Amino acid sequence: MSRLPEDTISRGLPGETAAAAPRTRREARERYRGTERRQARGLPSTSTGARSLRQAAKPGASLGTGYLGLGAAVLAAIQAVAGIALFLVHAPGLSNPWLPAAAWALYLVAAVCVCLSLMTYGERLTGTAFALICVVLACVVTLDFVGIFPEHDLARTASASVAAGFALLPIASLRPAKEVGTAIVVLGAAFVAMAVTSTPITPDTMPGLVSMLAIVVVPPSIALFVVHRFRQLVQRELDRVLVQSNVQAPQFAVGMLASDELARLDLAAEKLLDAVANGSDPLPLSDASASVAASLATELRLHLIEGRRETWLYHAITESDHLGRSVSVADPQGLAGHLTPAQRDGLLQALWQMVGDGRTSQPGVPVVSVTLGPIGSDGHPVSDERMDVPIVFESRGVPRRRLGPTAWSALQRIGPYTDSVRDGVLTVVAHCVVDRHPSM
């Protein structure tokens, strides 16, 4: 029998098209994000299956990046006030001050419109809106450049064009890094081209030009880096909290992906019962509907069987975006279920420390491999009430010196351990003494 059962839900009732079942939690989440198609197929809006899938379809929160965007907007506003003051100081000496003034007017109107849009529709910025903002900023830079070109002193007279760089600070928290990075590169290239064509490059003007270019490019680049790292940090901590919930899980259980699958099974059962209740599929059931009902029962039994084979450690690894691609587990006897909560916590903490950022030189190759068993190996006895479970960690590409006191303290919570390094592979063998009949 195949490990993954046939997708009865996607097959549905006669006349419905088939679709492959999701294989990972991320695939299931992305498939149902932003859509409520299943709820709209004639089922009550309060049904359990429709409600579960509608909740799963809701997009996630902004992970707190809105606060970073608010701070960046305040910095952009402060720079705009300083830029306007600088423009007013140099305006009497400009040959054509009306073009820079028009650039500032356009910049302020665009800023007010973006603020109103965010206040009305929330922290969302569509691709079309971002493209429109880039066009407006390009017009601001062009008007400012044309107005100050006759002065041949870009570093001293540029004002609205410099503010365009600071306008990208809050946008860094609303759009993907690649799009904002492209805008930063284009803006920097425009300033370089303007400096070469309008300002004589001399030892006296070079420091001012370099400083101005740094003011335009560096702040949004730093904002982009900070937002990217902040999102990585929050996502990693959320993933870690999700994994940590398995510490108190039963010895054998179904995971969150199985819960999503059960919600889909519930929805399919509701569809079948609703078809029988409203007379669209009268009793006795047709061959196709009877086959669907039999497949539903089979999948439910398979979920019950899997719940007696997969331990908490299997779900903790496979349902984690970080550990899932960096850790491989070999536990054919299901020994991980015998560990106490304290030992489970130490095992997970050690794995997080060994994995680190999860980056390897060879994509797809696990950073850490964990092997549990066999019982009583290496001369460690087994009694009727207690047994020794050896846990072997093999860490590739992670030097021993990178593991700090936190990792070794976590290993101590598992049990006595020994470590060795050979051919660049760090091997840690921990002997975990557990109850033969756990209470969990």
Side-chain angles (χ1 to χ4, degrees), residues 10 41 82 140 154-155 238 269 271 283 304 307 317 344 372 383 392 404:
S10 60
R41 292 181 180 175
V140 170
L154 179 63
L238 288 176
K271 289 168 55 180
L283 295 175
L304 292 176
I317 300 301
R344 295 181 182 185
L372 288 86
S383 64
V392 181

PDB file of all heavy atoms in Angstrom, residues 10 41 82 140 154-155 238 269 271 283 304 307 317 344 372 383 392 404:
ATOM      1  N   SER A  10      -9.922  15.730  -3.930  1.00  0.00           N
ATOM      2  CA  SER A  10      -9.798  16.376  -5.229  1.00  0.00           C
ATOM      3  C   SER A  10     -10.615  15.657  -6.290  1.00  0.00           C
ATOM      4  O   SER A  10     -11.010  16.238  -7.275  1.00  0.00           O
ATOM      5  CB  SER A  10      -8.321  16.423  -5.637  1.00  0.00           C
ATOM      6  OG  SER A  10      -7.792  15.111  -5.717  1.00  0.00           O
ATOM      7  N   ARG A  41     -19.412  25.877  -2.786  1.00  0.00           N
ATOM      8  CA  ARG A  41     -20.015  24.821  -3.602  1.00  0.00           C
ATOM      9  C   ARG A  41     -21.305  24.307  -2.972  1.00  0.00           C
ATOM     10  O   ARG A  41     -21.482  23.113  -2.755  1.00  0.00           O
ATOM     11  CB  ARG A  41     -19.013  23.678  -3.781  1.00  0.00           C
ATOM     12  CG  ARG A  41     -17.824  24.068  -4.639  1.00  0.00           C
ATOM     13  CD  ARG A  41     -16.880  22.914  -4.813  1.00  0.00           C
ATOM     14  NE  ARG A  41     -15.728  23.289  -5.640  1.00  0.00           N
ATOM     15  CZ  ARG A  41     -14.705  22.487  -5.874  1.00  0.00           C
ATOM     16  NH1 ARG A  41     -14.664  21.279  -5.360  1.00  0.00           N
ATOM     17  NH2 ARG A  41     -13.701  22.901  -6.621  1.00  0.00           N
ATOM     18  N   ALA A  82      13.954  68.757   5.922  1.00  0.00           N
ATOM     19  CA  ALA A  82      15.303  69.310   5.764  1.00  0.00           C
ATOM     20  C   ALA A  82      15.582  69.649   4.307  1.00  0.00           C
ATOM     21  O   ALA A  82      16.228  70.677   3.998  1.00  0.00           O
ATOM     22  CB  ALA A  82      16.331  68.316   6.288  1.00  0.00           C
ATOM     23  N   VAL A 140       9.868  63.220 -10.295  1.00  0.00           N
ATOM     24  CA  VAL A 140      10.443  64.133  -9.305  1.00  0.00           C
ATOM     25  C   VAL A 140      11.933  64.313  -9.549  1.00  0.00           C
ATOM     26  O   VAL A 140      12.455  65.445  -9.560  1.00  0.00           O
ATOM     27  CB  VAL A 140      10.176  63.594  -7.883  1.00  0.00           C
ATOM     28  CG1 VAL A 140      10.974  64.390  -6.854  1.00  0.00           C
ATOM     29  CG2 VAL A 140       8.692  63.653  -7.561  1.00  0.00           C
ATOM     30  N   LEU A 154      25.826  69.534  -8.552  1.00  0.00           N
ATOM     31  CA  LEU A 154      24.777  68.615  -8.118  1.00  0.00           C
ATOM     32  C   LEU A 154      24.769  68.435  -6.606  1.00  0.00           C
ATOM     33  O   LEU A 154      23.702  68.393  -5.985  1.00  0.00           O
ATOM     34  CB  LEU A 154      24.985  67.251  -8.807  1.00  0.00           C
ATOM     35  CG  LEU A 154      23.972  66.149  -8.452  1.00  0.00           C
ATOM     36  CD1 LEU A 154      22.578  66.555  -8.905  1.00  0.00           C
ATOM     37  CD2 LEU A 154      24.371  64.825  -9.093  1.00  0.00           C
ATOM     38  N   ALA A 155      25.945  68.321  -6.002  1.00  0.00           N
ATOM     39  CA  ALA A 155      26.000  68.051  -4.570  1.00  0.00           C
ATOM     40  C   ALA A 155      25.415  69.179  -3.737  1.00  0.00           C
ATOM     41  O   ALA A 155      24.858  68.944  -2.666  1.00  0.00           O
ATOM     42  CB  ALA A 155      27.449  67.785  -4.156  1.00  0.00           C
ATOM     43  N   LEU A 238       8.883  32.007  14.847  1.00  0.00           N
ATOM     44  CA  LEU A 238       7.551  31.407  14.744  1.00  0.00           C
ATOM     45  C   LEU A 238       7.650  29.919  14.440  1.00  0.00           C
ATOM     46  O   LEU A 238       6.912  29.102  15.002  1.00  0.00           O
ATOM     47  CB  LEU A 238       6.740  32.122  13.660  1.00  0.00           C
ATOM     48  CG  LEU A 238       6.263  33.536  13.970  1.00  0.00           C
ATOM     49  CD1 LEU A 238       5.571  34.128  12.757  1.00  0.00           C
ATOM     50  CD2 LEU A 238       5.328  33.543  15.161  1.00  0.00           C
ATOM     51  N   ALA A 269     -17.000  14.806   3.018  1.00  0.00           N
ATOM     52  CA  ALA A 269     -18.121  14.071   3.595  1.00  0.00           C
ATOM     53  C   ALA A 269     -19.381  14.933   3.631  1.00  0.00           C
ATOM     54  O   ALA A 269     -20.491  14.446   3.361  1.00  0.00           O
ATOM     55  CB  ALA A 269     -17.758  13.584   4.999  1.00  0.00           C
ATOM     56  N   LYS A 271     -20.109  17.335   1.572  1.00  0.00           N
ATOM     57  CA  LYS A 271     -20.608  17.435   0.195  1.00  0.00           C
ATOM     58  C   LYS A 271     -21.419  16.197  -0.168  1.00  0.00           C
ATOM     59  O   LYS A 271     -22.502  16.295  -0.787  1.00  0.00           O
ATOM     60  CB  LYS A 271     -19.436  17.597  -0.766  1.00  0.00           C
ATOM     61  CG  LYS A 271     -18.745  18.936  -0.698  1.00  0.00           C
ATOM     62  CD  LYS A 271     -17.437  18.940  -1.451  1.00  0.00           C
ATOM     63  CE  LYS A 271     -17.586  18.513  -2.884  1.00  0.00           C
ATOM     64  NZ  LYS A 271     -16.297  18.518  -3.599  1.00  0.00           N
ATOM     65  N   LEU A 283     -30.582   7.781  -2.688  1.00  0.00           N
ATOM     66  CA  LEU A 283     -30.238   6.428  -2.262  1.00  0.00           C
ATOM     67  C   LEU A 283     -30.994   5.408  -3.121  1.00  0.00           C
ATOM     68  O   LEU A 283     -32.134   5.645  -3.519  1.00  0.00           O
ATOM     69  CB  LEU A 283     -30.594   6.247  -0.789  1.00  0.00           C
ATOM     70  CG  LEU A 283     -29.808   7.114   0.203  1.00  0.00           C
ATOM     71  CD1 LEU A 283     -30.350   6.933   1.622  1.00  0.00           C
ATOM     72  CD2 LEU A 283     -28.329   6.774   0.154  1.00  0.00           C
ATOM     73  N   LEU A 304      -5.707   7.196  10.866  1.00  0.00           N
ATOM     74  CA  LEU A 304      -5.622   6.592  12.200  1.00  0.00           C
ATOM     75  C   LEU A 304      -4.396   5.703  12.326  1.00  0.00           C
ATOM     76  O   LEU A 304      -3.729   5.681  13.358  1.00  0.00           O
ATOM     77  CB  LEU A 304      -6.905   5.789  12.480  1.00  0.00           C
ATOM     78  CG  LEU A 304      -8.195   6.605  12.640  1.00  0.00           C
ATOM     79  CD1 LEU A 304      -9.382   5.678  12.808  1.00  0.00           C
ATOM     80  CD2 LEU A 304      -8.086   7.555  13.814  1.00  0.00           C
ATOM     81  N   GLY A 307      -1.294   7.771  12.624  1.00  0.00           N
ATOM     82  CA  GLY A 307      -1.183   8.342  13.956  1.00  0.00           C
ATOM     83  C   GLY A 307      -0.548   7.405  14.960  1.00  0.00           C
ATOM     84  O   GLY A 307      -0.138   7.831  16.041  1.00  0.00           O
ATOM     85  N   ILE A 317      10.067  17.699  12.773  1.00  0.00           N
ATOM     86  CA  ILE A 317      11.043  17.935  11.707  1.00  0.00           C
ATOM     87  C   ILE A 317      10.349  18.229  10.387  1.00  0.00           C
ATOM     88  O   ILE A 317      10.661  19.212   9.700  1.00  0.00           O
ATOM     89  CB  ILE A 317      11.988  16.724  11.566  1.00  0.00           C
ATOM     90  CG1 ILE A 317      12.745  16.480  12.877  1.00  0.00           C
ATOM     91  CG2 ILE A 317      12.963  16.948  10.427  1.00  0.00           C
ATOM     92  CD1 ILE A 317      13.573  17.628  13.347  1.00  0.00           C
ATOM     93  N   ARG A 344      13.042  15.857  25.302  1.00  0.00           N
ATOM     94  CA  ARG A 344      12.603  16.337  23.987  1.00  0.00           C
ATOM     95  C   ARG A 344      13.047  17.783  23.761  1.00  0.00           C
ATOM     96  O   ARG A 344      13.521  18.134  22.675  1.00  0.00           O
ATOM     97  CB  ARG A 344      11.081  16.240  23.871  1.00  0.00           C
ATOM     98  CG  ARG A 344      10.524  14.826  23.914  1.00  0.00           C
ATOM     99  CD  ARG A 344       9.006  14.861  23.756  1.00  0.00           C
ATOM    100  NE  ARG A 344       8.422  13.537  23.840  1.00  0.00           N
ATOM    101  CZ  ARG A 344       7.132  13.268  23.634  1.00  0.00           C
ATOM    102  NH1 ARG A 344       6.298  14.272  23.337  1.00  0.00           N
ATOM    103  NH2 ARG A 344       6.672  12.049  23.728  1.00  0.00           N
ATOM    104  N   LEU A 372      18.183   7.252  16.044  1.00  0.00           N
ATOM    105  CA  LEU A 372      17.799   6.751  17.351  1.00  0.00           C
ATOM    106  C   LEU A 372      17.821   5.230  17.340  1.00  0.00           C
ATOM    107  O   LEU A 372      17.213   4.606  16.461  1.00  0.00           O
ATOM    108  CB  LEU A 372      16.409   7.234  17.752  1.00  0.00           C
ATOM    109  CG  LEU A 372      16.289   8.725  18.113  1.00  0.00           C
ATOM    110  CD1 LEU A 372      16.072   9.570  16.873  1.00  0.00           C
ATOM    111  CD2 LEU A 372      15.163   8.950  19.116  1.00  0.00           C
ATOM    112  N   SER A 383      16.411  -2.982  31.009  1.00  0.00           N
ATOM    113  CA  SER A 383      15.652  -3.668  32.047  1.00  0.00           C
ATOM    114  C   SER A 383      14.182  -3.716  31.662  1.00  0.00           C
ATOM    115  O   SER A 383      13.781  -3.255  30.588  1.00  0.00           O
ATOM    116  CB  SER A 383      15.838  -2.941  33.395  1.00  0.00           C
ATOM    117  OG  SER A 383      15.287  -1.633  33.325  1.00  0.00           O
ATOM    118  N   VAL A 392      22.340   9.416  18.001  1.00  0.00           N
ATOM    119  CA  VAL A 392      23.566   9.784  17.294  1.00  0.00           C
ATOM    120  C   VAL A 392      23.279  11.000  16.421  1.00  0.00           C
ATOM    121  O   VAL A 392      22.403  10.962  15.543  1.00  0.00           O
ATOM    122  CB  VAL A 392      24.092   8.619  16.440  1.00  0.00           C
ATOM    123  CG1 VAL A 392      25.383   9.017  15.733  1.00  0.00           C
ATOM    124  CG2 VAL A 392      24.308   7.378  17.308  1.00  0.00           C
ATOM    125  N   GLY A 404      27.967  26.677  20.757  1.00  0.00           N
ATOM    126  CA  GLY A 404      28.226  27.369  22.000  1.00  0.00           C
ATOM    127  C   GLY A 404      27.753  26.581  23.210  1.00  0.00           C
ATOM    128  O   GLY A 404      27.304  25.424  23.105  1.00  0.00           O
TER     129      GLY A 404
END
